[in-house]
């Protein structure tokens, strides 16, 4: 190691002061660093045109162990599933926000990284993690090898995950009043939410069982369920018990007011568009 350090120092001096070149005996040999850039595939070029250039968003579908939890058993997404999933994401999520809030809004708020994982991310609590929002710069999506992009129910649940994680990112840029929102269902949150069910949640004023985990997840679920399918959402709320229905509607009004005051977005208009764009994405030929 000391010999190499001395050699580097000698070369630096040679470059700085015009001394003669290092002798052949001192040469470390030919560099083994790979400097030829990797050839981009048609998929990579499509990602550049639809994600990287317009939104400054890097899409990671090739396996990178540093972008996933190494303690979990996770596997890559199958390459043939990448573009169909990204087309669905773009149509329902990015294009909808772009039309309602403008391209600059999406550029400024969208995560810088989208990580696609093929396998299920299972937890020890008999639940699975469908998506993660990390520090406002990355959204990771799991179980993508099982997504049927022509199945409306599956697509809705998939996009619901993205919308949910994106709400967290928006909340980080513009926080909502957690104390005021949480007061609507004070005393009904529970850490072991998986032990409850949707029927109980609707009775208590939550849009889903997962909403009961904490205030921030409740807010993200409330918003993302409306974005998932506004008509199906209204059907669920209208069928809920009166007391629970009143609380969900109160949370709905809170979310709508938040989007308008924080971002100038008509949330109902956005919900109607995401619902329409879901039909468009699923029925695309």
């Amino acid at each position: 190691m000391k010999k190499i350090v001395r050699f580097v120092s000698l070369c630096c001096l040679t470059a700085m002061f015009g001394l003669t070149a290092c002798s052949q005996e001192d040469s470390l040999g030919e560099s083994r660093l790979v400097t030829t850039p990797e050839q981009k595939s048609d998929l990579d070029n499509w990602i550049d045109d639809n994600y990287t250039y317009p939104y400054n968003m890097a899409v990671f579908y090739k396996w990178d162990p540093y972008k996933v939890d190494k303690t979990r058993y996770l596997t890559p997404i199958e390459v043939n599933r990448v573009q169909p999933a990204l087309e669905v994401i773009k149509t329902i999520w990015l294009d909808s926000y772009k039309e309602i809030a403008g391209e600059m809004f999406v550029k400024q708020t969208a995560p810088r990284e989208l990580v696609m994982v093929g396998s299920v991310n299972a937890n020890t609590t008999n639940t699975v993690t469908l998506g993660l929002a990390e520090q406002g710069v990355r959204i990771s999506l799991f179980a993508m090898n099982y997504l049927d992009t022509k199945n409306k129910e599956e697509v809705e649940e998939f996009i619901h995950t993205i919308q949910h994680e994106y709400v967290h990112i928006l909340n980080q840029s513009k926080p909502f009043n957690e104390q005021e929102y949480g007061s609507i269902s004070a005393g009904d949150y529970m850490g072991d939410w998986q032990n409850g069910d949707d029927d109980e949640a609707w009775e208590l004023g939550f849009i889903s069982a997962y909403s009961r985990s904490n205030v921030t997840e409740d807010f993200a679920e409330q918003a993302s369920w409306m974005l998932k399918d506004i008509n199906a959402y209204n059907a669920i709320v209208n069928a809920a018990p009166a007391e629970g229905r009143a609380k969900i509607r109160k949370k709905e009004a809170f979310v709508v007011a938040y989007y308008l005051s924080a971002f100038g977005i008509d949330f109902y208009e956005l919900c109607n568009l995401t619902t329409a764009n879901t039909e468009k994405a699923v029925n695309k030929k």
Side-chain angles (χ1 to χ4, degrees), residues 76-91:
I77 182 175
E78 298 167 5
V79 176
N80 65 307
R81 294 181 177 273
V82 175
Q83 186 168 332
L86 289 175
E87 288 176 345
V88 165
I89 293 171
K90 181 178 181 297
T91 298

Side-chain angles (χ1 to χ4, degrees), residues 167 171 176 181 215-223 254-255 258:
V167 172
N171 288 163
F176 68 96
Y181 184 89
V215 173
T216 56
E217 297 301 334
D218 186 12
F219 186 98
E221 277 289 272
Q222 178 64 43
F254 193 104
V255 169
Y258 164 81

Side-chain angles (χ1 to χ4, degrees), residues 91-105:
T91 298
I92 303 174
W93 173 36
L94 296 175
D95 288 353
S96 297
Y97 269 97
K98 177 182 175 181
E99 182 171 336
I100 299 300
E103 185 176 42
M104 186 56 65
F105 173 84

Side-chain angles (χ1 to χ4, degrees), residues 160-233:
H160 172 213
T161 298
I162 298 174
Q163 299 283 23
H164 178 107
E165 300 306 327
Y166 189 44
V167 172
H168 284 314
I169 291 175
L170 294 179
N171 288 163
Q172 290 179 39
S173 64
K174 298 283 187 178
F176 68 96
N177 189 326
E178 295 183 22
Q179 184 175 2
E180 181 181 352
Y181 184 89
S183 66
I184 300 173
S185 293
D188 289 327
Y189 291 101
M190 51 186 276
D192 56 344
W193 61 270
Q194 67 274 10
N195 293 330
D197 58 31
D198 286 341
D199 288 331
E200 182 182 11
W202 297 332
E203 185 176 350
L204 293 171
F206 297 90
I207 193 56
S208 70
Y210 184 54
S211 297
R212 298 187 64 188
S213 57
N214 59 58
V215 173
T216 56
E217 297 301 334
D218 186 12
F219 186 98
E221 277 289 272
Q222 178 64 43
S224 58
W225 267 82
M226 294 174 68
L227 290 166
K228 176 180 175 181
D229 185 331
I230 190 63
N231 300 318
Y233 162 81

Side-chain angles (χ1 to χ4, degrees), residues 32-43:
R32 297 186 180 184
L33 292 175
V34 178
T35 58
T36 304
E38 182 180 354
Q39 188 70 27
K40 288 190 175 183
S41 64
D42 290 341
L43 173 59

